[in-house]
Amino acid sequence: MAEAMVKLEGICKRFGELEVLKGVNVDIAKGEVVCILGPSGSGKSTLLRCVNLLEPPEEGDIYIEGKSICKGPGSGSGESSWELDFVRQRVGIVFQQFNLFPHKTALENVTLAQETVLGRSRSEARAKASELLERVGLGDKVDQYPDRLSGGQQQRVAIARALAMDPHVMLFDEVTSALDPELVKEVLDVMRELAEEGMTMIVVTHEIGFAREVADRVVFMDGGVIVEQGPPADVLESPREERTREFLGLVLDH
Amino acid sequence: MSEFFHQYFDFGYMGEHFWEVFEAFLQNLLIFAVVAVLALAWGLILALLRQLPGKKFLPVRFITIAYIDIFRAIPILIVILLISGGIPFLDFIPKEIRIPHWFGKPDPFWYGVAALMLVYGAFSAEVYRAGIEAVPRGQMEAARSLGMSHGQAMRHVVVPQAISVIPAPMLNEMISLLKDSTLVSVIAFAESVLISRELLAQSFNSSALILTGFFFILIILPLARVVDKLIARNQGKITRGSHIEVA
């Protein structure tokens, strides 16, 4: 395998007494789509939030495109001990709750960071934003404020907003969990297209169907560790581990 | 009874001294206007300092919180007396600053403005803070994830949303400020209460104080109704969604 796009090494994360991640190792190749499954509280969202340092891990190292993003000892604690800018320039994230900026239109949501962070001109940022909103099927909604959009539309704006920064890796944190069932497909379709275009994606999800169809690899987590991983056909159809079987039984049996 | 009425509600006396009291009341409005601008700016600075993240800024946060707590706790009258009684004697400060007569206003005016600004900066910082903390955490996370610095996220994402929920409580603070502008009378600045008391001393008639009270009512009652309107409007737009869950 070529050099990993994202490599996590011995990641540990605690919230007070609660040990959420207990030494997670995983490599994600360029262009790979990895779906992380697991029961709630298994640490899968926290792992995702470690990758872009929203929850900086206490132990372990993260490599992005081969570069360690941990500054090493003596560089302070929390955020300041990590190569924050390097990470945020390369890693985009989409959240369960969309987190669109409610005081900005769909277009402005997508242009804001282009202008403030990347220093693009207004017209350049607007062109890019229009193109991306068009691509996620919202060409006619550019001037709407988020509260005038459905959940599925908001989530697609959020995807466009992340893509506008030209990320090399996209993180998806249960992006369809807050959506009404009939709106899930429009968001998954956008993600599927993105995967087909070769984007490296780490997807925390409960959508087993999506994982089966789109993922190159499925990672099953429980209790802060990776229980098993492999091609979706293997993990989802004939899981080796009892805990995986149990979980899939609960998820698929209705 | 009629003696009481004559003492406090002598409309003839009020008419006679109307313009004198009115002009003094304009001084209250002037103090209010100057302090309002300064305190709103100072309060925002304090609120932002208080929100600085990370261990690095712990001392800044600590000092800011101590400042806000202290100035909300000390009676304003004491602050006014300490400033007007102390600053003039700090001779390492240039005279134009420690005994200011800027824009044709006497030094008590500026001591009063300084004292009220220090105190109301602290109060308005707390209002800003409530507004900032009402913005869901996911907003800051989304902005930071896009690569914005803490400052950029505050400026473009958090503060604009915070500002939209604070007008009602902030206006309440401003109503208090307008009333507290009368406290500057204790350091002999000729605003409406001081003038009314001088009139009382000259003529043994308290009607000028009642007239002053009317002026305040006239300004403040409409503002109180505006506060009601703002509260009603805000209840219609309680922020949707955007909360986050851990793990």
Side-chain angles (χ1 to χ4, degrees), chain A residues 117-148:
Chain A
V117 178
L118 301 179
R120 288 183 184 148
S121 72
R122 171 146 297 185
S123 60
E124 199 183 346
R126 291 177 75 95
K128 175 102 182 173
S130 309
E131 179 206 314
L132 283 167
L133 287 169
E134 189 73 46
R135 191 168 133 196
V136 298
L138 295 170
D140 55 336
K141 303 285 186 196
V142 288
D143 293 324
Q144 297 285 352
Y145 283 89
D147 63 359
R148 304 300 301 269

PDB file of all heavy atoms in Angstrom, chain A residues 117-148:
ATOM      1  N   VAL A 117      -9.888  32.406   5.377  1.00  0.00           N
ATOM      2  CA  VAL A 117      -8.783  31.475   5.636  1.00  0.00           C
ATOM      3  C   VAL A 117      -7.858  31.354   4.434  1.00  0.00           C
ATOM      4  O   VAL A 117      -6.642  31.447   4.563  1.00  0.00           O
ATOM      5  CB  VAL A 117      -9.323  30.085   6.031  1.00  0.00           C
ATOM      6  CG1 VAL A 117      -8.176  29.108   6.243  1.00  0.00           C
ATOM      7  CG2 VAL A 117     -10.183  30.190   7.279  1.00  0.00           C
ATOM      8  N   LEU A 118      -8.446  31.161   3.249  1.00  0.00           N
ATOM      9  CA  LEU A 118      -7.613  30.945   2.065  1.00  0.00           C
ATOM     10  C   LEU A 118      -7.268  32.254   1.362  1.00  0.00           C
ATOM     11  O   LEU A 118      -6.433  32.272   0.464  1.00  0.00           O
ATOM     12  CB  LEU A 118      -8.328  30.001   1.084  1.00  0.00           C
ATOM     13  CG  LEU A 118      -8.679  28.611   1.626  1.00  0.00           C
ATOM     14  CD1 LEU A 118      -9.399  27.794   0.564  1.00  0.00           C
ATOM     15  CD2 LEU A 118      -7.431  27.878   2.106  1.00  0.00           C
ATOM     16  N   GLY A 119      -7.932  33.345   1.758  1.00  0.00           N
ATOM     17  CA  GLY A 119      -7.628  34.636   1.160  1.00  0.00           C
ATOM     18  C   GLY A 119      -8.080  34.766  -0.279  1.00  0.00           C
ATOM     19  O   GLY A 119      -7.561  35.586  -1.030  1.00  0.00           O
ATOM     20  N   ARG A 120      -9.081  33.954  -0.656  1.00  0.00           N
ATOM     21  CA  ARG A 120      -9.583  34.091  -2.023  1.00  0.00           C
ATOM     22  C   ARG A 120     -10.379  35.389  -2.151  1.00  0.00           C
ATOM     23  O   ARG A 120     -10.964  35.860  -1.177  1.00  0.00           O
ATOM     24  CB  ARG A 120     -10.503  32.917  -2.367  1.00  0.00           C
ATOM     25  CG  ARG A 120      -9.730  31.624  -2.564  1.00  0.00           C
ATOM     26  CD  ARG A 120     -10.635  30.476  -2.975  1.00  0.00           C
ATOM     27  NE  ARG A 120      -9.852  29.245  -3.054  1.00  0.00           N
ATOM     28  CZ  ARG A 120     -10.334  28.037  -2.776  1.00  0.00           C
ATOM     29  NH1 ARG A 120     -11.603  27.893  -2.430  1.00  0.00           N
ATOM     30  NH2 ARG A 120      -9.562  26.973  -2.863  1.00  0.00           N
ATOM     31  N   SER A 121     -10.408  35.931  -3.337  1.00  0.00           N
ATOM     32  CA  SER A 121     -11.192  37.142  -3.562  1.00  0.00           C
ATOM     33  C   SER A 121     -12.670  36.793  -3.497  1.00  0.00           C
ATOM     34  O   SER A 121     -13.051  35.621  -3.644  1.00  0.00           O
ATOM     35  CB  SER A 121     -10.876  37.729  -4.938  1.00  0.00           C
ATOM     36  OG  SER A 121     -11.444  36.899  -5.937  1.00  0.00           O
ATOM     37  N   ARG A 122     -13.483  37.813  -3.268  1.00  0.00           N
ATOM     38  CA  ARG A 122     -14.909  37.575  -3.163  1.00  0.00           C
ATOM     39  C   ARG A 122     -15.469  36.888  -4.407  1.00  0.00           C
ATOM     40  O   ARG A 122     -16.203  35.913  -4.324  1.00  0.00           O
ATOM     41  CB  ARG A 122     -15.645  38.901  -2.917  1.00  0.00           C
ATOM     42  CG  ARG A 122     -17.146  38.781  -3.010  1.00  0.00           C
ATOM     43  CD  ARG A 122     -17.823  39.701  -2.052  1.00  0.00           C
ATOM     44  NE  ARG A 122     -17.492  39.367  -0.672  1.00  0.00           N
ATOM     45  CZ  ARG A 122     -18.032  39.973   0.373  1.00  0.00           C
ATOM     46  NH1 ARG A 122     -18.874  40.962   0.195  1.00  0.00           N
ATOM     47  NH2 ARG A 122     -17.696  39.614   1.591  1.00  0.00           N
ATOM     48  N   SER A 123     -15.061  37.373  -5.580  1.00  0.00           N
ATOM     49  CA  SER A 123     -15.649  36.813  -6.797  1.00  0.00           C
ATOM     50  C   SER A 123     -15.177  35.378  -7.021  1.00  0.00           C
ATOM     51  O   SER A 123     -15.949  34.512  -7.437  1.00  0.00           O
ATOM     52  CB  SER A 123     -15.298  37.692  -8.003  1.00  0.00           C
ATOM     53  OG  SER A 123     -13.897  37.759  -8.153  1.00  0.00           O
ATOM     54  N   GLU A 124     -13.923  35.128  -6.689  1.00  0.00           N
ATOM     55  CA  GLU A 124     -13.383  33.782  -6.815  1.00  0.00           C
ATOM     56  C   GLU A 124     -14.136  32.821  -5.876  1.00  0.00           C
ATOM     57  O   GLU A 124     -14.542  31.724  -6.269  1.00  0.00           O
ATOM     58  CB  GLU A 124     -11.897  33.830  -6.431  1.00  0.00           C
ATOM     59  CG  GLU A 124     -11.053  32.682  -6.907  1.00  0.00           C
ATOM     60  CD  GLU A 124      -9.608  32.829  -6.400  1.00  0.00           C
ATOM     61  OE1 GLU A 124      -9.248  33.936  -5.924  1.00  0.00           O
ATOM     62  OE2 GLU A 124      -8.869  31.855  -6.462  1.00  0.00           O
ATOM     63  N   ALA A 125     -14.329  33.290  -4.629  1.00  0.00           N
ATOM     64  CA  ALA A 125     -15.009  32.461  -3.628  1.00  0.00           C
ATOM     65  C   ALA A 125     -16.456  32.197  -4.038  1.00  0.00           C
ATOM     66  O   ALA A 125     -16.971  31.080  -3.888  1.00  0.00           O
ATOM     67  CB  ALA A 125     -14.964  33.141  -2.262  1.00  0.00           C
ATOM     68  N   ARG A 126     -17.097  33.226  -4.583  1.00  0.00           N
ATOM     69  CA  ARG A 126     -18.504  33.062  -4.986  1.00  0.00           C
ATOM     70  C   ARG A 126     -18.619  32.097  -6.166  1.00  0.00           C
ATOM     71  O   ARG A 126     -19.546  31.286  -6.223  1.00  0.00           O
ATOM     72  CB  ARG A 126     -19.119  34.422  -5.351  1.00  0.00           C
ATOM     73  CG  ARG A 126     -19.287  35.338  -4.163  1.00  0.00           C
ATOM     74  CD  ARG A 126     -19.837  36.686  -4.608  1.00  0.00           C
ATOM     75  NE  ARG A 126     -21.246  36.587  -4.918  1.00  0.00           N
ATOM     76  CZ  ARG A 126     -22.205  36.871  -4.041  1.00  0.00           C
ATOM     77  NH1 ARG A 126     -21.894  37.297  -2.833  1.00  0.00           N
ATOM     78  NH2 ARG A 126     -23.466  36.749  -4.376  1.00  0.00           N
ATOM     79  N   ALA A 127     -17.686  32.195  -7.079  1.00  0.00           N
ATOM     80  CA  ALA A 127     -17.716  31.288  -8.238  1.00  0.00           C
ATOM     81  C   ALA A 127     -17.575  29.843  -7.780  1.00  0.00           C
ATOM     82  O   ALA A 127     -18.326  28.959  -8.191  1.00  0.00           O
ATOM     83  CB  ALA A 127     -16.599  31.662  -9.214  1.00  0.00           C
ATOM     84  N   LYS A 128     -16.614  29.641  -6.888  1.00  0.00           N
ATOM     85  CA  LYS A 128     -16.369  28.295  -6.363  1.00  0.00           C
ATOM     86  C   LYS A 128     -17.606  27.787  -5.604  1.00  0.00           C
ATOM     87  O   LYS A 128     -18.023  26.635  -5.757  1.00  0.00           O
ATOM     88  CB  LYS A 128     -15.163  28.350  -5.418  1.00  0.00           C
ATOM     89  CG  LYS A 128     -14.869  27.066  -4.713  1.00  0.00           C
ATOM     90  CD  LYS A 128     -13.704  26.361  -5.351  1.00  0.00           C
ATOM     91  CE  LYS A 128     -13.433  25.043  -4.660  1.00  0.00           C
ATOM     92  NZ  LYS A 128     -12.420  24.274  -5.354  1.00  0.00           N
ATOM     93  N   ALA A 129     -18.196  28.676  -4.788  1.00  0.00           N
ATOM     94  CA  ALA A 129     -19.353  28.294  -3.985  1.00  0.00           C
ATOM     95  C   ALA A 129     -20.544  27.945  -4.875  1.00  0.00           C
ATOM     96  O   ALA A 129     -21.230  26.939  -4.656  1.00  0.00           O
ATOM     97  CB  ALA A 129     -19.720  29.427  -3.023  1.00  0.00           C
ATOM     98  N   SER A 130     -20.768  28.767  -5.911  1.00  0.00           N
ATOM     99  CA  SER A 130     -21.901  28.490  -6.811  1.00  0.00           C
ATOM    100  C   SER A 130     -21.719  27.138  -7.486  1.00  0.00           C
ATOM    101  O   SER A 130     -22.653  26.343  -7.595  1.00  0.00           O
ATOM    102  CB  SER A 130     -22.004  29.559  -7.909  1.00  0.00           C
ATOM    103  OG  SER A 130     -21.993  30.831  -7.346  1.00  0.00           O
ATOM    104  N   GLU A 131     -20.481  26.889  -7.923  1.00  0.00           N
ATOM    105  CA  GLU A 131     -20.190  25.635  -8.605  1.00  0.00           C
ATOM    106  C   GLU A 131     -20.466  24.447  -7.678  1.00  0.00           C
ATOM    107  O   GLU A 131     -21.096  23.463  -8.072  1.00  0.00           O
ATOM    108  CB  GLU A 131     -18.712  25.674  -9.042  1.00  0.00           C
ATOM    109  CG  GLU A 131     -18.220  24.447  -9.750  1.00  0.00           C
ATOM    110  CD  GLU A 131     -16.711  24.300  -9.577  1.00  0.00           C
ATOM    111  OE1 GLU A 131     -15.975  25.305  -9.748  1.00  0.00           O
ATOM    112  OE2 GLU A 131     -16.262  23.184  -9.246  1.00  0.00           O
ATOM    113  N   LEU A 132     -20.018  24.572  -6.417  1.00  0.00           N
ATOM    114  CA  LEU A 132     -20.190  23.461  -5.475  1.00  0.00           C
ATOM    115  C   LEU A 132     -21.655  23.266  -5.095  1.00  0.00           C
ATOM    116  O   LEU A 132     -22.142  22.147  -4.981  1.00  0.00           O
ATOM    117  CB  LEU A 132     -19.346  23.703  -4.215  1.00  0.00           C
ATOM    118  CG  LEU A 132     -17.858  23.415  -4.398  1.00  0.00           C
ATOM    119  CD1 LEU A 132     -17.056  23.972  -3.234  1.00  0.00           C
ATOM    120  CD2 LEU A 132     -17.626  21.916  -4.531  1.00  0.00           C
ATOM    121  N   LEU A 133     -22.364  24.378  -4.903  1.00  0.00           N
ATOM    122  CA  LEU A 133     -23.782  24.259  -4.546  1.00  0.00           C
ATOM    123  C   LEU A 133     -24.564  23.650  -5.709  1.00  0.00           C
ATOM    124  O   LEU A 133     -25.484  22.858  -5.509  1.00  0.00           O
ATOM    125  CB  LEU A 133     -24.350  25.628  -4.146  1.00  0.00           C
ATOM    126  CG  LEU A 133     -23.865  26.130  -2.776  1.00  0.00           C
ATOM    127  CD1 LEU A 133     -24.251  27.585  -2.556  1.00  0.00           C
ATOM    128  CD2 LEU A 133     -24.431  25.262  -1.653  1.00  0.00           C
ATOM    129  N   GLU A 134     -24.164  24.027  -6.905  1.00  0.00           N
ATOM    130  CA  GLU A 134     -24.748  23.419  -8.105  1.00  0.00           C
ATOM    131  C   GLU A 134     -24.515  21.913  -8.090  1.00  0.00           C
ATOM    132  O   GLU A 134     -25.422  21.107  -8.312  1.00  0.00           O
ATOM    133  CB  GLU A 134     -24.086  24.048  -9.345  1.00  0.00           C
ATOM    134  CG  GLU A 134     -24.719  23.703 -10.671  1.00  0.00           C
ATOM    135  CD  GLU A 134     -26.053  24.426 -10.874  1.00  0.00           C
ATOM    136  OE1 GLU A 134     -26.109  25.650 -10.603  1.00  0.00           O
ATOM    137  OE2 GLU A 134     -27.008  23.755 -11.288  1.00  0.00           O
ATOM    138  N   ARG A 135     -23.304  21.550  -7.758  1.00  0.00           N
ATOM    139  CA  ARG A 135     -22.905  20.149  -7.773  1.00  0.00           C
ATOM    140  C   ARG A 135     -23.675  19.321  -6.752  1.00  0.00           C
ATOM    141  O   ARG A 135     -23.975  18.148  -6.996  1.00  0.00           O
ATOM    142  CB  ARG A 135     -21.404  20.082  -7.485  1.00  0.00           C
ATOM    143  CG  ARG A 135     -20.794  18.739  -7.722  1.00  0.00           C
ATOM    144  CD  ARG A 135     -19.286  18.873  -7.698  1.00  0.00           C
ATOM    145  NE  ARG A 135     -18.708  17.831  -6.879  1.00  0.00           N
ATOM    146  CZ  ARG A 135     -17.467  17.849  -6.424  1.00  0.00           C
ATOM    147  NH1 ARG A 135     -16.694  18.890  -6.676  1.00  0.00           N
ATOM    148  NH2 ARG A 135     -17.015  16.873  -5.701  1.00  0.00           N
ATOM    149  N   VAL A 136     -24.008  19.905  -5.584  1.00  0.00           N
ATOM    150  CA  VAL A 136     -24.783  19.153  -4.594  1.00  0.00           C
ATOM    151  C   VAL A 136     -26.286  19.348  -4.823  1.00  0.00           C
ATOM    152  O   VAL A 136     -27.100  19.013  -3.958  1.00  0.00           O
ATOM    153  CB  VAL A 136     -24.409  19.522  -3.137  1.00  0.00           C
ATOM    154  CG1 VAL A 136     -22.958  19.197  -2.867  1.00  0.00           C
ATOM    155  CG2 VAL A 136     -24.698  20.991  -2.844  1.00  0.00           C
ATOM    156  N   GLY A 137     -26.635  19.920  -5.988  1.00  0.00           N
ATOM    157  CA  GLY A 137     -28.045  20.020  -6.362  1.00  0.00           C
ATOM    158  C   GLY A 137     -28.787  21.179  -5.732  1.00  0.00           C
ATOM    159  O   GLY A 137     -30.006  21.150  -5.587  1.00  0.00           O
ATOM    160  N   LEU A 138     -28.055  22.232  -5.345  1.00  0.00           N
ATOM    161  CA  LEU A 138     -28.713  23.358  -4.688  1.00  0.00           C
ATOM    162  C   LEU A 138     -28.469  24.676  -5.424  1.00  0.00           C
ATOM    163  O   LEU A 138     -28.467  25.747  -4.814  1.00  0.00           O
ATOM    164  CB  LEU A 138     -28.226  23.475  -3.236  1.00  0.00           C
ATOM    165  CG  LEU A 138     -28.607  22.299  -2.328  1.00  0.00           C
ATOM    166  CD1 LEU A 138     -27.884  22.403  -0.998  1.00  0.00           C
ATOM    167  CD2 LEU A 138     -30.107  22.246  -2.120  1.00  0.00           C
ATOM    168  N   GLY A 139     -28.271  24.561  -6.730  1.00  0.00           N
ATOM    169  CA  GLY A 139     -28.015  25.749  -7.527  1.00  0.00           C
ATOM    170  C   GLY A 139     -29.079  26.819  -7.384  1.00  0.00           C
ATOM    171  O   GLY A 139     -28.802  28.016  -7.507  1.00  0.00           O
ATOM    172  N   ASP A 140     -30.303  26.401  -7.054  1.00  0.00           N
ATOM    173  CA  ASP A 140     -31.396  27.377  -6.944  1.00  0.00           C
ATOM    174  C   ASP A 140     -31.597  27.878  -5.513  1.00  0.00           C
ATOM    175  O   ASP A 140     -32.515  28.632  -5.246  1.00  0.00           O
ATOM    176  CB  ASP A 140     -32.703  26.750  -7.461  1.00  0.00           C
ATOM    177  CG  ASP A 140     -33.026  25.446  -6.752  1.00  0.00           C
ATOM    178  OD1 ASP A 140     -32.102  24.805  -6.224  1.00  0.00           O
ATOM    179  OD2 ASP A 140     -34.219  25.068  -6.730  1.00  0.00           O
ATOM    180  N   LYS A 141     -30.750  27.453  -4.591  1.00  0.00           N
ATOM    181  CA  LYS A 141     -30.952  27.819  -3.177  1.00  0.00           C
ATOM    182  C   LYS A 141     -29.843  28.722  -2.632  1.00  0.00           C
ATOM    183  O   LYS A 141     -29.765  28.938  -1.423  1.00  0.00           O
ATOM    184  CB  LYS A 141     -31.000  26.551  -2.305  1.00  0.00           C
ATOM    185  CG  LYS A 141     -32.061  25.550  -2.689  1.00  0.00           C
ATOM    186  CD  LYS A 141     -33.437  26.026  -2.261  1.00  0.00           C
ATOM    187  CE  LYS A 141     -34.468  24.941  -2.534  1.00  0.00           C
ATOM    188  NZ  LYS A 141     -35.838  25.476  -2.500  1.00  0.00           N
ATOM    189  N   VAL A 142     -28.985  29.226  -3.512  1.00  0.00           N
ATOM    190  CA  VAL A 142     -27.788  29.920  -3.032  1.00  0.00           C
ATOM    191  C   VAL A 142     -28.102  31.077  -2.082  1.00  0.00           C
ATOM    192  O   VAL A 142     -27.356  31.337  -1.146  1.00  0.00           O
ATOM    193  CB  VAL A 142     -26.916  30.454  -4.193  1.00  0.00           C
ATOM    194  CG1 VAL A 142     -26.220  29.318  -4.903  1.00  0.00           C
ATOM    195  CG2 VAL A 142     -27.760  31.263  -5.175  1.00  0.00           C
ATOM    196  N   ASP A 143     -29.216  31.770  -2.295  1.00  0.00           N
ATOM    197  CA  ASP A 143     -29.500  32.952  -1.485  1.00  0.00           C
ATOM    198  C   ASP A 143     -30.418  32.678  -0.299  1.00  0.00           C
ATOM    199  O   ASP A 143     -30.871  33.596   0.372  1.00  0.00           O
ATOM    200  CB  ASP A 143     -30.101  34.062  -2.369  1.00  0.00           C
ATOM    201  CG  ASP A 143     -29.062  34.575  -3.369  1.00  0.00           C
ATOM    202  OD1 ASP A 143     -27.868  34.643  -3.000  1.00  0.00           O
ATOM    203  OD2 ASP A 143     -29.444  34.889  -4.519  1.00  0.00           O
ATOM    204  N   GLN A 144     -30.715  31.401  -0.064  1.00  0.00           N
ATOM    205  CA  GLN A 144     -31.581  31.064   1.071  1.00  0.00           C
ATOM    206  C   GLN A 144     -30.767  31.010   2.357  1.00  0.00           C
ATOM    207  O   GLN A 144     -29.617  30.598   2.364  1.00  0.00           O
ATOM    208  CB  GLN A 144     -32.232  29.692   0.855  1.00  0.00           C
ATOM    209  CG  GLN A 144     -33.141  29.615  -0.350  1.00  0.00           C
ATOM    210  CD  GLN A 144     -34.470  30.310  -0.119  1.00  0.00           C
ATOM    211  OE1 GLN A 144     -34.774  30.731   1.002  1.00  0.00           O
ATOM    212  NE2 GLN A 144     -35.263  30.455  -1.162  1.00  0.00           N
ATOM    213  N   TYR A 145     -31.434  31.414   3.459  1.00  0.00           N
ATOM    214  CA  TYR A 145     -30.821  31.217   4.768  1.00  0.00           C
ATOM    215  C   TYR A 145     -31.097  29.786   5.229  1.00  0.00           C
ATOM    216  O   TYR A 145     -32.108  29.193   4.831  1.00  0.00           O
ATOM    217  CB  TYR A 145     -31.377  32.229   5.772  1.00  0.00           C
ATOM    218  CG  TYR A 145     -30.774  33.600   5.570  1.00  0.00           C
ATOM    219  CD1 TYR A 145     -31.350  34.520   4.701  1.00  0.00           C
ATOM    220  CD2 TYR A 145     -29.588  33.944   6.216  1.00  0.00           C
ATOM    221  CE1 TYR A 145     -30.777  35.764   4.484  1.00  0.00           C
ATOM    222  CE2 TYR A 145     -29.005  35.181   6.004  1.00  0.00           C
ATOM    223  CZ  TYR A 145     -29.597  36.091   5.145  1.00  0.00           C
ATOM    224  OH  TYR A 145     -29.011  37.303   4.930  1.00  0.00           O
ATOM    225  N   PRO A 146     -30.211  29.240   6.065  1.00  0.00           N
ATOM    226  CA  PRO A 146     -30.358  27.833   6.467  1.00  0.00           C
ATOM    227  C   PRO A 146     -31.741  27.482   7.007  1.00  0.00           C
ATOM    228  O   PRO A 146     -32.237  26.386   6.735  1.00  0.00           O
ATOM    229  CB  PRO A 146     -29.282  27.674   7.543  1.00  0.00           C
ATOM    230  CG  PRO A 146     -28.208  28.623   7.139  1.00  0.00           C
ATOM    231  CD  PRO A 146     -28.940  29.806   6.556  1.00  0.00           C
ATOM    232  N   ASP A 147     -32.387  28.400   7.746  1.00  0.00           N
ATOM    233  CA  ASP A 147     -33.667  27.998   8.338  1.00  0.00           C
ATOM    234  C   ASP A 147     -34.781  27.885   7.293  1.00  0.00           C
ATOM    235  O   ASP A 147     -35.884  27.459   7.614  1.00  0.00           O
ATOM    236  CB  ASP A 147     -34.073  28.924   9.494  1.00  0.00           C
ATOM    237  CG  ASP A 147     -34.297  30.355   9.053  1.00  0.00           C
ATOM    238  OD1 ASP A 147     -34.116  30.649   7.855  1.00  0.00           O
ATOM    239  OD2 ASP A 147     -34.656  31.184   9.911  1.00  0.00           O
ATOM    240  N   ARG A 148     -34.484  28.249   6.049  1.00  0.00           N
ATOM    241  CA  ARG A 148     -35.470  28.052   4.976  1.00  0.00           C
ATOM    242  C   ARG A 148     -35.183  26.776   4.193  1.00  0.00           C
ATOM    243  O   ARG A 148     -35.843  26.476   3.203  1.00  0.00           O
ATOM    244  CB  ARG A 148     -35.468  29.245   4.011  1.00  0.00           C
ATOM    245  CG  ARG A 148     -35.709  30.584   4.656  1.00  0.00           C
ATOM    246  CD  ARG A 148     -37.058  30.610   5.362  1.00  0.00           C
ATOM    247  NE  ARG A 148     -38.161  30.328   4.435  1.00  0.00           N
ATOM    248  CZ  ARG A 148     -38.821  31.267   3.770  1.00  0.00           C
ATOM    249  NH1 ARG A 148     -38.517  32.530   3.943  1.00  0.00           N
ATOM    250  NH2 ARG A 148     -39.800  30.937   2.959  1.00  0.00           N
TER     251      ARG A 148
END
